[in-house]
Short mmCIF file of all heavy atoms in Angstrom, two decimals:
data_model
loop_
_atom_site.label_atom_id
_atom_site.label_comp_id
_atom_site.label_asym_id
_atom_site.label_seq_id
_atom_site.Cartn_x
_atom_site.Cartn_y
_atom_site.Cartn_z
N SER A 659 44.02 43.55 30.75
CA SER A 659 42.98 43.39 31.76
C SER A 659 41.61 43.71 31.08
O SER A 659 41.44 44.86 30.56
CB SER A 659 43.27 44.26 32.90
OG SER A 659 44.36 43.86 33.55
N VAL A 660 40.66 42.81 31.06
CA VAL A 660 39.34 43.18 30.56
C VAL A 660 38.56 43.57 31.77
O VAL A 660 38.27 42.76 32.76
CB VAL A 660 38.70 41.90 29.87
CG1 VAL A 660 37.15 42.17 29.56
CG2 VAL A 660 39.47 41.60 28.66
N PHE A 661 38.09 44.85 31.81
CA PHE A 661 37.47 45.42 33.03
C PHE A 661 36.01 45.04 33.13
O PHE A 661 35.16 45.81 32.81
CB PHE A 661 37.71 46.89 32.96
CG PHE A 661 39.08 47.42 32.97
CD1 PHE A 661 39.49 48.42 32.07
CD2 PHE A 661 40.04 46.83 33.91
CE1 PHE A 661 40.83 48.81 32.06
CE2 PHE A 661 41.29 47.36 33.94
CZ PHE A 661 41.74 48.24 32.95
N GLY A 662 35.78 43.85 33.66
CA GLY A 662 34.39 43.50 33.98
C GLY A 662 33.80 42.63 32.88
O GLY A 662 33.82 42.91 31.65
N SER A 663 33.00 41.56 33.41
CA SER A 663 32.26 40.72 32.45
C SER A 663 30.91 40.48 33.06
O SER A 663 30.24 39.47 32.67
CB SER A 663 33.07 39.40 32.30
OG SER A 663 33.17 38.65 33.51
N ASP A 664 30.46 41.38 33.93
CA ASP A 664 29.11 41.22 34.61
C ASP A 664 28.21 42.34 34.15
O ASP A 664 27.31 42.72 34.95
CB ASP A 664 29.31 41.09 36.03
CG ASP A 664 29.92 42.34 36.73
OD1 ASP A 664 30.61 43.10 35.94
OD2 ASP A 664 29.96 42.49 37.86
N TYR A 665 28.40 42.99 33.03
CA TYR A 665 27.57 44.00 32.56
C TYR A 665 26.42 43.41 31.92
O TYR A 665 26.43 42.29 31.32
CB TYR A 665 28.31 44.96 31.57
CG TYR A 665 29.28 45.88 32.22
CD1 TYR A 665 30.65 45.49 32.31
CD2 TYR A 665 28.93 47.08 32.83
CE1 TYR A 665 31.59 46.34 32.95
CE2 TYR A 665 29.86 47.91 33.37
CZ TYR A 665 31.15 47.52 33.43
OH TYR A 665 32.14 48.31 34.09
N LYS A 666 25.36 44.19 31.75
CA LYS A 666 24.05 43.75 31.08
C LYS A 666 24.25 43.86 29.63
O LYS A 666 23.58 44.81 28.99
CB LYS A 666 22.83 44.38 31.56
CG LYS A 666 22.39 43.80 32.94
CD LYS A 666 21.01 44.32 33.26
CE LYS A 666 20.59 44.00 34.64
NZ LYS A 666 20.51 45.10 35.61
N THR A 667 25.21 43.13 28.96
CA THR A 667 25.39 43.27 27.47
C THR A 667 25.36 41.87 26.94
O THR A 667 25.28 40.80 27.69
CB THR A 667 26.75 43.99 27.30
OG1 THR A 667 27.78 43.09 27.89
CG2 THR A 667 26.80 45.31 27.75
N LYS A 668 25.62 41.74 25.64
CA LYS A 668 25.54 40.49 24.87
C LYS A 668 26.48 39.38 25.54
O LYS A 668 26.05 38.17 25.67
CB LYS A 668 25.71 40.52 23.41
CG LYS A 668 26.74 41.53 22.98
CD LYS A 668 26.79 41.75 21.48
CE LYS A 668 27.37 43.05 21.17
NZ LYS A 668 27.35 43.42 19.74
N ASP A 669 27.74 39.74 25.95
CA ASP A 669 28.57 38.79 26.57
C ASP A 669 29.10 39.16 27.92
O ASP A 669 30.07 38.60 28.45
CB ASP A 669 29.66 38.45 25.58
CG ASP A 669 30.61 39.71 25.21
OD1 ASP A 669 30.52 40.64 25.99
OD2 ASP A 669 31.29 39.70 24.19
N GLY A 670 28.47 40.21 28.48
CA GLY A 670 28.94 40.66 29.76
C GLY A 670 29.98 41.76 29.84
O GLY A 670 30.22 42.31 30.82
N THR A 671 30.67 41.99 28.68
CA THR A 671 31.55 43.05 28.64
C THR A 671 31.01 44.22 27.89
O THR A 671 30.06 44.20 27.14
CB THR A 671 32.90 42.57 27.87
OG1 THR A 671 32.59 42.26 26.49
CG2 THR A 671 33.51 41.30 28.55
N PRO A 672 31.59 45.45 28.31
CA PRO A 672 30.97 46.68 27.84
C PRO A 672 30.92 46.83 26.28
O PRO A 672 31.80 46.38 25.66
CB PRO A 672 31.77 47.77 28.51
CG PRO A 672 32.35 47.15 29.70
CD PRO A 672 32.65 45.72 29.22
N VAL A 673 29.90 47.51 25.79
CA VAL A 673 29.73 47.77 24.43
C VAL A 673 29.97 49.19 24.05
O VAL A 673 29.42 50.15 24.68
CB VAL A 673 28.29 47.28 24.03
CG1 VAL A 673 27.98 47.75 22.60
CG2 VAL A 673 28.15 45.69 24.05
N ARG A 674 30.76 49.43 22.98
CA ARG A 674 31.03 50.81 22.51
C ARG A 674 30.94 50.86 21.01
O ARG A 674 30.97 49.87 20.24
CB ARG A 674 32.55 51.12 22.77
CG ARG A 674 32.77 51.19 24.41
CD ARG A 674 32.22 52.33 25.01
NE ARG A 674 32.59 52.40 26.38
CZ ARG A 674 32.00 51.79 27.46
NH1 ARG A 674 30.85 51.13 27.12
NH2 ARG A 674 32.28 51.96 28.63
N ASP A 675 30.89 52.15 20.51
CA ASP A 675 30.67 52.41 19.11
C ASP A 675 32.09 52.83 18.51
O ASP A 675 32.49 53.98 18.68
CB ASP A 675 29.64 53.52 18.91
CG ASP A 675 29.36 53.81 17.50
OD1 ASP A 675 30.20 53.48 16.66
OD2 ASP A 675 28.30 54.54 17.31
N TYR A 676 32.78 51.88 18.07
CA TYR A 676 34.14 52.22 17.55
C TYR A 676 34.18 52.67 16.11
O TYR A 676 33.42 52.13 15.27
CB TYR A 676 35.13 50.89 17.63
CG TYR A 676 35.23 50.35 19.02
CD1 TYR A 676 34.47 49.49 19.57
CD2 TYR A 676 36.30 50.90 19.92
CE1 TYR A 676 34.49 49.03 20.87
CE2 TYR A 676 36.39 50.49 21.24
CZ TYR A 676 35.51 49.56 21.63
OH TYR A 676 35.58 49.18 22.97
N ILE A 677 34.93 53.83 15.95
CA ILE A 677 34.92 54.46 14.57
C ILE A 677 36.31 54.56 14.09
O ILE A 677 37.17 54.96 14.79
CB ILE A 677 34.14 55.79 14.67
CG1 ILE A 677 34.31 56.63 13.38
CG2 ILE A 677 34.66 56.68 15.79
CD1 ILE A 677 33.03 56.76 12.61
N HIS A 678 36.49 54.22 12.84
CA HIS A 678 37.88 54.27 12.20
C HIS A 678 38.33 55.71 12.09
O HIS A 678 37.53 56.64 11.66
CB HIS A 678 37.83 53.66 10.84
CG HIS A 678 39.24 53.39 10.29
ND1 HIS A 678 40.00 54.33 9.95
CD2 HIS A 678 39.87 52.15 10.02
CE1 HIS A 678 41.25 53.80 9.41
NE2 HIS A 678 41.01 52.48 9.56
N ILE A 679 39.57 55.95 12.46
CA ILE A 679 40.11 57.28 12.49
C ILE A 679 39.99 58.05 11.17
O ILE A 679 39.78 59.26 11.12
CB ILE A 679 41.57 57.28 13.01
CG1 ILE A 679 42.17 58.67 13.18
CG2 ILE A 679 42.51 56.43 12.08
CD1 ILE A 679 41.61 59.43 14.37
N VAL A 680 40.07 57.32 10.05
CA VAL A 680 40.01 58.02 8.74
C VAL A 680 38.51 58.34 8.35
O VAL A 680 38.27 59.47 7.87
CB VAL A 680 40.64 57.11 7.60
CG1 VAL A 680 40.38 57.75 6.30
CG2 VAL A 680 42.13 56.84 7.85
N ASP A 681 37.58 57.60 8.78
CA ASP A 681 36.14 57.90 8.76
C ASP A 681 36.00 59.20 9.59
O ASP A 681 35.22 60.10 9.21
CB ASP A 681 35.24 56.82 9.25
CG ASP A 681 35.05 55.75 8.17
OD1 ASP A 681 35.13 56.11 6.92
OD2 ASP A 681 34.73 54.59 8.51
N LEU A 682 36.54 59.26 10.85
CA LEU A 682 36.44 60.36 11.71
C LEU A 682 36.96 61.61 11.04
O LEU A 682 36.37 62.72 11.12
CB LEU A 682 37.00 60.03 13.04
CG LEU A 682 36.99 61.12 14.12
CD1 LEU A 682 35.56 61.63 14.38
CD2 LEU A 682 37.66 60.66 15.41
N ALA A 683 38.23 61.49 10.47
CA ALA A 683 38.89 62.65 9.84
C ALA A 683 37.98 63.14 8.73
O ALA A 683 37.84 64.36 8.62
CB ALA A 683 40.28 62.21 9.30
N ASN A 684 37.36 62.22 8.05
CA ASN A 684 36.47 62.74 6.91
C ASN A 684 35.21 63.44 7.40
O ASN A 684 34.64 64.26 6.62
CB ASN A 684 36.20 61.54 5.90
CG ASN A 684 37.39 61.30 4.98
OD1 ASN A 684 37.86 62.33 4.36
ND2 ASN A 684 37.89 60.07 4.90
N ALA A 685 34.86 63.05 8.59
CA ALA A 685 33.66 63.83 9.19
C ALA A 685 34.03 65.18 9.36
O ALA A 685 33.18 66.14 9.16
CB ALA A 685 33.15 63.13 10.45
N HIS A 686 35.34 65.51 9.71
CA HIS A 686 35.75 66.96 9.96
C HIS A 686 35.79 67.53 8.61
O HIS A 686 35.38 68.76 8.48
CB HIS A 686 37.20 66.85 10.52
CG HIS A 686 37.15 66.46 11.96
ND1 HIS A 686 37.19 65.17 12.37
CD2 HIS A 686 37.10 67.16 13.10
CE1 HIS A 686 37.15 65.08 13.59
NE2 HIS A 686 37.14 66.18 14.12
N LEU A 687 36.26 66.95 7.49
CA LEU A 687 36.17 67.48 6.19
C LEU A 687 34.70 67.87 5.80
O LEU A 687 34.48 69.02 5.31
CB LEU A 687 36.75 66.47 5.23
CG LEU A 687 36.78 66.87 3.79
CD1 LEU A 687 37.67 68.05 3.53
CD2 LEU A 687 37.20 65.78 2.83
N ALA A 688 33.78 66.94 6.08
CA ALA A 688 32.42 67.23 5.78
C ALA A 688 31.94 68.41 6.55
O ALA A 688 31.17 69.24 6.06
CB ALA A 688 31.56 66.00 6.03
N ALA A 689 32.24 68.49 7.82
CA ALA A 689 31.77 69.61 8.72
C ALA A 689 32.44 71.00 8.26
O ALA A 689 31.73 72.00 8.20
CB ALA A 689 32.17 69.41 10.15
N VAL A 690 33.76 70.90 7.76
CA VAL A 690 34.41 72.10 7.28
C VAL A 690 33.77 72.65 5.96
O VAL A 690 33.45 73.88 5.79
CB VAL A 690 35.84 71.87 7.09
CG1 VAL A 690 36.48 72.90 6.18
CG2 VAL A 690 36.62 71.75 8.37
N ILE A 691 33.30 71.63 5.08
CA ILE A 691 32.61 72.01 3.88
C ILE A 691 31.26 72.69 4.26
O ILE A 691 30.93 73.63 3.69
CB ILE A 691 32.47 70.79 2.98
CG1 ILE A 691 33.92 70.39 2.43
CG2 ILE A 691 31.57 71.00 1.84
CD1 ILE A 691 34.04 69.08 1.74
N ARG A 692 30.64 72.09 5.23
CA ARG A 692 29.34 72.69 5.72
C ARG A 692 29.53 74.18 6.21
O ARG A 692 28.83 75.10 5.83
CB ARG A 692 28.73 71.83 6.78
CG ARG A 692 27.27 72.48 7.28
CD ARG A 692 26.57 71.51 8.01
NE ARG A 692 25.38 71.99 8.72
CZ ARG A 692 24.18 72.04 7.97
NH1 ARG A 692 24.04 71.61 6.82
NH2 ARG A 692 23.10 72.63 8.56
N LEU A 693 30.58 74.31 7.00
CA LEU A 693 30.82 75.68 7.53
C LEU A 693 31.23 76.68 6.49
O LEU A 693 30.86 77.85 6.50
CB LEU A 693 31.97 75.57 8.54
CG LEU A 693 31.58 74.91 10.00
CD1 LEU A 693 32.86 74.77 10.75
CD2 LEU A 693 30.64 75.94 10.71
N THR A 694 31.87 76.16 5.43
CA THR A 694 32.38 77.01 4.30
C THR A 694 31.21 77.29 3.39
O THR A 694 31.16 78.54 3.00
CB THR A 694 33.49 76.21 3.56
OG1 THR A 694 34.42 75.74 4.44
CG2 THR A 694 34.11 77.11 2.50
N ASN A 695 30.40 76.48 3.11
CA ASN A 695 29.45 76.67 2.06
C ASN A 695 28.02 77.04 2.42
O ASN A 695 27.28 77.55 1.73
CB ASN A 695 29.22 75.36 1.13
CG ASN A 695 30.56 75.00 0.46
OD1 ASN A 695 31.34 75.89 0.35
ND2 ASN A 695 30.71 73.75 0.16
N TYR A 696 27.72 76.72 3.72
CA TYR A 696 26.33 76.78 3.99
C TYR A 696 26.21 77.57 5.27
O TYR A 696 26.85 77.34 6.27
CB TYR A 696 25.75 75.32 4.24
CG TYR A 696 24.38 75.27 4.74
CD1 TYR A 696 23.26 75.53 3.90
CD2 TYR A 696 24.06 75.06 6.08
CE1 TYR A 696 22.02 75.47 4.24
CE2 TYR A 696 22.70 74.94 6.48
CZ TYR A 696 21.66 75.24 5.56
OH TYR A 696 20.42 75.22 6.02
N LYS A 697 25.28 78.57 5.30
CA LYS A 697 25.14 79.43 6.46
C LYS A 697 23.83 78.85 7.09
O LYS A 697 22.70 79.13 6.86
CB LYS A 697 24.93 80.88 6.02
CG LYS A 697 25.88 81.72 6.73
CD LYS A 697 25.84 83.19 6.42
CE LYS A 697 26.28 84.10 7.51
NZ LYS A 697 26.88 83.50 8.71
N SER A 698 24.08 77.98 8.13
CA SER A 698 22.99 77.47 8.89
C SER A 698 22.30 78.58 9.70
O SER A 698 22.96 79.47 10.24
CB SER A 698 23.46 76.32 9.78
OG SER A 698 22.44 75.92 10.70
#
Side-chain angles (χ1 to χ4, degrees):
S659 297
V660 172
F661 299 131
S663 61
D664 58 349
Y665 288 93
K666 284 197 187 104
T667 58
K668 42 191 156 185
D669 58 22
T671 62
V673 168
R674 298 288 183 271
D675 183 342
Y676 297 92
I677 170 114
H678 195 291
I679 186 70
V680 173
D681 280 334
L682 178 58
N684 279 311
H686 291 81
L687 177 65
V690 161
I691 291 171
R692 179 169 177 82
L693 285 170
T694 308
N695 297 338
Y696 178 76
K697 235 178 153 7
S698 169

